[in-house]
Amino acid sequence: MKIKALKWLSTVPVAAALVVSLAACGGGTSPAGSASPTDALAGAQNTDKYTTADVTSLDKIDKSKLGLITDGTIKVGTLSDAPPSIFIDKSGNFTGFDNDLLKAMGEKLGLKVEFASTKFQSLLAQVKNQQFDVGSSSISTTDARRQTVSFTNGYDFGFMALVAKTDSDVKSIADLKEGVRVGVVQGTVQDDMVTNQLGLDPVRYPDYNTAYANVKSGQIDAWLAPSQQAEGQIKSGDGTKIHEKKVATQNFSAYAVAKDNKALAEALNSALDAVIADGTWTTLAKKWFPERKTDAERMPDGWKPGSKAVQVPADK
């Protein structure tokens, strides 16, 4: 795939680029206004650098070599409050696009997938320390995070959204200035963007539910969030809206695995290609992201999921 510069789907100009330094999950962020902030999405912008050329065929995967915490089961750390990507439904089931896709991948490998709820800021450290085999949380695959864990090939692309009251004066990321109370979830790309690039001191929350509740109640002026999670939180009558939404196709999301567990990463890549090739990825994308009505909307700007070799069946 030919790599392009980040392409934002927005008509609203932004004073500064939307990439900033990023601390690995579980740690703090860099001080506000640090002299030399690094690029939070370094690495995520170069899919050719990390995306595999192809994958091992499923029948060649040795399940006894996957280094799982429990044989036959992939133990997954995920979030409970970030629909439509990762959440717990009314019946108590872990679901959403990311988790349903991982379940389908587990079926391809003949493995059970077992989920447990955790906080985003702890997830990568928990994967590193083998409390979980896999982290599932629409994780941006940055170089900074690759110092803590490894990642599979990508299965989705990245969004950002600015959420505020419907009648708010804060209508774009460019409006985030000194005196504006902006909320973020601790440890996210949005946290470091506000801290390091914009030079502001955000209000940090442990989860998406709390962040949204505070913008809805007026405790903060705006919430900078992953777009999918913002869309999943807002309900009719809340008096809030997404004022600005941006998409970066080169900021792809992937599943996290321990750095020394290459066998598991390779197995998951094989399973990901399999669920892409048989149409499952497209079916789940249509189910969970109904606003992405066409192949072009599900794979904008030349982006596609999986290895370089896999073909996404045309949607009929």
Side-chain angles (χ1 to χ4, degrees):
M1 178 172 63
K2 184 178 180 181
I3 301 305
K4 301 179 181 180
L6 286 177
K7 185 173 183 178
W8 301 104
L9 301 184
S10 174
T11 57
V12 183
V14 180
L18 295 181
V19 285
V20 290
S21 66
L22 177 66
C25 291
T29 57
S30 302
S34 59
S36 302
T38 57
D39 186 344
L41 301 180
Q45 298 171 41
N46 188 346
T47 52
D48 273 348
K49 183 177 180 180
Y50 294 111
T51 300
T52 63
D54 52 25
V55 297
T56 303
S57 61
L58 285 172
D59 61 354
K60 301 295 185 184
I61 300 294
D62 185 347
K63 291 187 287 186
S64 69
K65 305 292 186 182
L66 300 185
L68 298 172
I69 297 167
T70 301
D71 287 343
T73 300
I74 302 174
K75 292 186 177 293
V76 182
T78 189
L79 307 188
S80 61
D81 66 336
S85 301
I86 48 259
F87 68 104
I88 298 176
D89 66 18
K90 293 179 180 179
S91 299
N93 300 310
F94 286 90
T95 188
F97 176 69
D98 301 44
N99 290 341
D100 283 1
L101 186 67
L102 192 52
K103 291 175 193 175
M105 291 163 59
E107 290 180 5
K108 292 292 186 182
L109 293 168
L111 297 170
K112 180 182 177 182
V113 180
E114 182 179 287
F115 296 94
S117 180
T118 188
K119 298 297 184 183
F120 184 80
Q121 57 267 33
S122 305
L123 179 56
L124 295 194
Q126 290 169 331
V127 172
K128 175 185 178 180
N129 296 330
Q130 295 186 309
Q131 293 172 257
F132 299 118
D133 297 307
V134 174
S136 171
S137 183
S138 296
I139 306 168
S140 297
T141 57
T142 68
D143 278 350
R145 286 173 173 169
R146 289 181 190 276
Q147 295 177 22
T148 304
V149 296
S150 293
F151 290 102
T152 63
N153 288 328
Y155 62 83
D156 199 7
F157 52 88
F159 282 96
M160 278 194 191
L162 181 81
V163 180
K165 290 288 189 71
T166 304
D167 58 356
S168 174
D169 292 333
V170 181
K171 300 185 182 301
S172 74
I173 295 169
D175 292 331
L176 299 179
K177 299 176 181 178
E178 193 68 36
V180 175
R181 298 166 299 170
V182 55
V184 296
V185 170
Q186 183 179 354
T188 60
V189 171
Q190 292 78 27
D191 183 352
D192 275 3
M193 174 185 165
V194 173
T195 302
N196 293 316
Q197 177 152 345
L198 301 183
L200 304 176
D201 187 13
V203 182
R204 297 181 176 90
Y205 296 102
D207 55 63
Y208 295 111
N209 280 335
T210 308
Y212 180 61
N214 277 267
V215 74
K216 187 168 65 171
S217 68
Q219 295 299 308
I220 54 176
D221 301 308
W223 171 35
L224 192 61
S227 182
Q228 295 97 317
Q229 280 67 62
E231 291 168 349
Q233 290 285 347
I234 295 174
K235 304 292 186 296
S236 176
D238 281 355
T240 62
K241 64 180 287 188
I242 294 175
H243 287 270
E244 183 178 33
K245 182 168 75 170
K246 297 177 177 295
V247 54
T249 58
Q250 307 309 335
N251 171 15
F252 66 88
S253 302
Y255 299 109
V257 299
K259 287 189 68 163
D260 59 356
N261 198 344
K262 294 181 179 179
L264 180 56
E266 290 176 0
L268 291 172
N269 280 339
S270 297
L272 177 58
D273 269 22
V275 297
I276 292 168
D278 73 5
T280 300
W281 179 89
T282 302
T283 298
L284 291 174
K286 290 167 68 175
K287 172 185 177 180
W288 290 109
F289 307 119
E291 70 278 6
R292 305 181 191 176
K293 300 182 184 301
T294 66
D295 283 338
E297 290 171 311
R298 289 184 286 272
M299 296 179 287
D301 196 29
W303 177 89
K304 78 172 187 67
S307 76
K308 297 173 188 176
V310 70
Q311 298 298 313
V312 181
D315 184 30
K316 299 180 180 179

